[in-house]
Amino acid sequence: MDLGILELSDEQKMIVDQVREFAQSEIVPKAAEIDQTGRFPKEIIQQMGQMGLMGINVEPEYEGAGLDYLTYSLVGEELNAACASTGVIFSAHNSLACGPVKKWGSPEQKKKWLAPMARGEKLGAFALSEPGSGSDAGALICTCKKVGDAYVVNGTKNWITNGPESGTVILFATLGTDLKHKGVCAFVLDKDTPGLSVGKVEHKLGIRGSGTSQLVFEDVKIPVDQMLGQEGDGFKIAMATLDGGRIGIASQALGIARAAIQAAKNYARERETFGKSISRHQGIQFMFADMATQLDAARLLTWRAARMQDRGLKFTREAAMAKLLASEAANFIVDKALQIHGGYGYVNEYSAERHFRDQRITEIYEGTSEIQRLVIASAELAEHAR
Ligand code: CAA
C-alpha cells in the first residue's frame, strides 16, 4: 500500500501495522464463518472499541482516538481486507453516527452521545433512507412534529446499517413534506426510546455479518435538546455527513479489492496449467497488471479526498470521485480475481466468491454510482467551476 511519494507519517504507519496485525490474526480466521452464518461479530467490535477504533476521529476530550481522516481510511482498508462486514460496521459507526455529532453536536450533546459511542459502548446507526426515498434523499416522509418541548416522530427508515445492534441513532425526519429538503431535521436518540422498534431485518448478498434493518418510529418523543443543529439543517447535515461516509466506502472497496488480488496471487502461484504456474501465462499477468493499476488509482483518489477533509477543504466532489472509482475498480478486480480461480472461484472453498459478493454493495450504498456521477457533474458544471 506504500504509494512511494505519498509518504505516510510514522504515526499512520504504526497504526496501519497494528491494525493489520489485529485484522490478520483476529478477524481473517473468522471471516468465512461470519459470512456463512451471517452473525454479527460482536467480540471483534468489542476488541475494536478497546483499541480506540470506535471513536477514531473523535477528540480525546470526548474519549476518542483523535486521529485524522486519512488514518480512518487506512484503518478502514485494513479491516475491510480482512472482513467487509466488520469494515462496514466500523465505517457506518464512525463516519455516519459519530461524524455528525462530532461536527454539529453541542458540548453537552457530545458528552452525552458521542463519548459512549467513542468508547465502543454504544454502536451508532444513520437513519436517512426510507422505503420510498433512497437516492432522492430529500423526498423523505418520516415526520417530526413539535409538541411542547419534544418532537413526535412517525415513519419507517430502511436499509439501516447497524440497525439491529445499534444503541444510538442519528435520525432524519421532516417538519412537512411540502418544505422539501428545507424541512428536514436531524436528531440523536437512544435506540431504546419508547415507540422505536427494529422492523424487517434484511438477508443480503454480501456483508452478511453486518446487520441491516428497518427502524420503525411510532409516536417516538424526542426532547428538543436532542436536535443536531437547528430546524431545517437536517438535509445539509445528512449530505455533509455522507461526504465523509463516501471516503469510508471507497476505503471499503480498496480493502475488498486488495484482499481479492492477494487471494488471486496466492492461487495463481500454486496452480499449474500447460506445464507451468498460471502466473506465468501472459493472459493472467495482464489481469494482474490491470487490477494493480486500478487499485492504486482508486487509492490515490481516496487518499486525496481524506487529506482534503483533514485540511478542512470542501471535498464533496473528491469524495464522490473516490467512491465512484474505488467501487467500480473493485467490481473489475473481484471479477478478475474470481476468473483467475476458475471453477474454484465459484465455490466457497476459496475467498474469491465472498469478495465478489461483498464488493457489489459498494456501488450502491451511501449513494449509488449514478448519484456520485450527479454530484461530480454538478460540481464540474457549477458556474464558479473553471
Ligand atoms: N454538503 C452540504 N450541503 C449540501 C451538500 C453537501 N455535500 N449537497 C447538497 N447540499 C445542500 C445544497 O447546497 C442545497 O442547499 P440550499 O438549499 O441552501 O441551496 C441543498 O443541500 C439541496 O441540494 P440539492 O438541490 O443538490 O439536493 P437534491 O435534492 O438535488 O439532492 C443528491 C442531491 C446529491 C442527489 C442527494 O439527494 C444525494 O446525495 N442522494 C443520495 C443519498 C445517499 O447517499 N443515501 C445513502 C443513505 S445512507 C446508506 O447508504 C445506508 C447506510 O446505513 C450505510
Side-chain angles (χ1 to χ4, degrees):
M1 94 136 77
D2 186 4
L3 292 180
I5 56 163
L6 291 177
E7 194 55 23
L8 300 174
S9 70
D10 288 343
E11 186 188 43
Q12 286 163 335
K13 285 182 193 164
M14 185 189 74
I15 291 165
V16 167
D17 285 347
Q18 280 172 354
V19 175
R20 182 175 297 175
E21 160 64 21
F22 165 72
Q24 295 299 315
S25 63
E26 303 291 323
I27 308 180
V28 167
K30 296 179 176 176
E33 174 261 320
I34 290 168
D35 170 60
Q36 282 162 27
T37 59
R39 78 166 175 91
F40 182 81
K42 193 173 171 192
E43 77 288 6
I44 295 174
I45 303 303
Q46 276 169 350
Q47 282 173 284
M48 284 163 51
Q50 286 155 10
M51 292 169 73
L53 299 181
M54 299 308 275
I56 190 164
N57 304 126
V58 174
E59 302 90 334
E61 194 185 345
Y62 299 106
E63 302 185 52
L67 297 169
D68 61 15
Y69 293 101
L70 179 55
T71 307
Y72 162 72
S73 169
L74 298 169
V75 168
E77 179 177 330
E78 293 306 323
L79 295 172
N80 279 288
C83 167
S85 297
T86 304
V88 73
I89 296 165
F90 161 84
S91 176
H93 171 88
N94 276 293
S95 61
L96 300 186
C98 294
V101 188
K102 171 176 147 75
K103 188 158 179 195
W104 287 279
S106 64
E108 294 73 32
Q109 287 174 328
K110 289 185 190 183
K111 208 170 158 208
K112 181 165 181 193
W113 302 100
L114 190 53
M117 287 199 282
R119 287 195 298 267
E121 289 167 16
K122 298 250 181 174
L123 188 67
F126 178 83
L128 173 66
S129 299
E130 298 183 1
S133 149
S135 288
D136 187 1
L140 53 83
I141 59 169
C142 177
T143 54
C144 56
K145 286 204 168 58
K146 195 165 178 200
V147 182
D149 57 2
Y151 288 86
V152 179
V153 175
N154 280 287
T156 299
K157 294 290 173 178
N158 237 39
W159 315 123
I160 311 305
T161 302
N162 296 342
E165 301 82 11
S166 61
T168 303
V169 176
I170 308 300
L171 167 73
F172 298 89
T174 180
L175 291 165
T177 51
D178 49 328
L179 297 170
K180 306 281 182 196
H181 70 268
K182 294 189 191 305
V184 180
C185 302
F187 301 94
V188 56
L189 70 152
D190 210 288
K191 226 272 288 309
D192 290 338
T193 309
L196 170 50
S197 59
V198 175
K200 185 178 171 226
V201 178
E202 307 295 344
H203 295 278
K204 307 190 296 287
L205 176 71
I207 55 163
R208 289 169 37 79
S210 85
T212 307
S213 72
Q214 289 187 329
L215 289 179
V216 182
F217 294 78
E218 291 169 300
D219 288 331
V220 175
K221 286 197 186 65
I222 308 179
V224 288
D225 64 4
Q226 288 176 221
M227 180 177 278
L228 294 174
Q230 305 296 316
E231 278 193 354
D233 285 350
F235 190 75
K236 288 182 189 176
I237 292 176
M239 290 300 110
T241 299
L242 282 165
D243 288 343
R246 288 167 185 165
I247 295 175
I249 303 306
S251 310
Q252 175 175 51
L254 296 179
I256 296 169
R258 192 181 96 197
I261 294 176
Q262 189 58 54
K265 277 185 193 168
N266 296 345
Y267 183 82
R269 286 181 183 131
E270 76 183 25
R271 177 72 172 173
E272 291 195 356
T273 59
F274 305 101
K276 58 183 178 184
S277 153
I278 63 168
S279 64
R280 296 180 61 207
H281 292 300
Q282 200 176 53
I284 300 288
Q285 290 172 346
F286 282 4
M287 288 190 209
F288 280 109
D290 290 340
M291 290 193 286
T293 304
Q294 296 232 13
L295 181 63
D296 275 14
R299 194 179 281 124
L300 284 167
L301 283 197
T302 306
W303 287 12
R304 176 182 72 166
R307 281 198 198 274
M308 288 177 74
Q309 185 176 14
D310 281 326
R311 288 177 193 173
L313 301 169
K314 185 165 170 58
F315 64 101
T316 300
R317 168 183 175 274
E318 288 73 16
M321 285 182 170
K323 182 183 182 285
L324 175 65
L325 188 78
S327 61
E328 295 195 349
N331 180 310
F332 172 85
I333 290 167
V334 297
D335 184 63
K336 291 285 173 277
L338 191 151
Q339 188 70 17
I340 288 166
H341 283 76
Y344 289 104
Y346 202 65
V347 293
N348 66 9
E349 188 181 337
Y350 286 83
S351 65
E353 60 87 33
R354 171 162 53 87
H355 304 312
F356 184 84
R357 289 183 288 104
D358 284 344
Q359 173 281 329
R360 195 62 183 79
I361 190 63
T362 65
E363 295 172 84
I364 297 172
Y365 58 16
E366 300 202 29
T368 60
S369 290
E370 292 70 31
I371 290 295
Q372 308 312 322
R373 288 186 167 90
L374 278 183
V375 171
I376 297 161
S378 135
E380 283 298 298
L381 300 170
E383 272 172 30
H384 59 269
R386 275 179 285 147

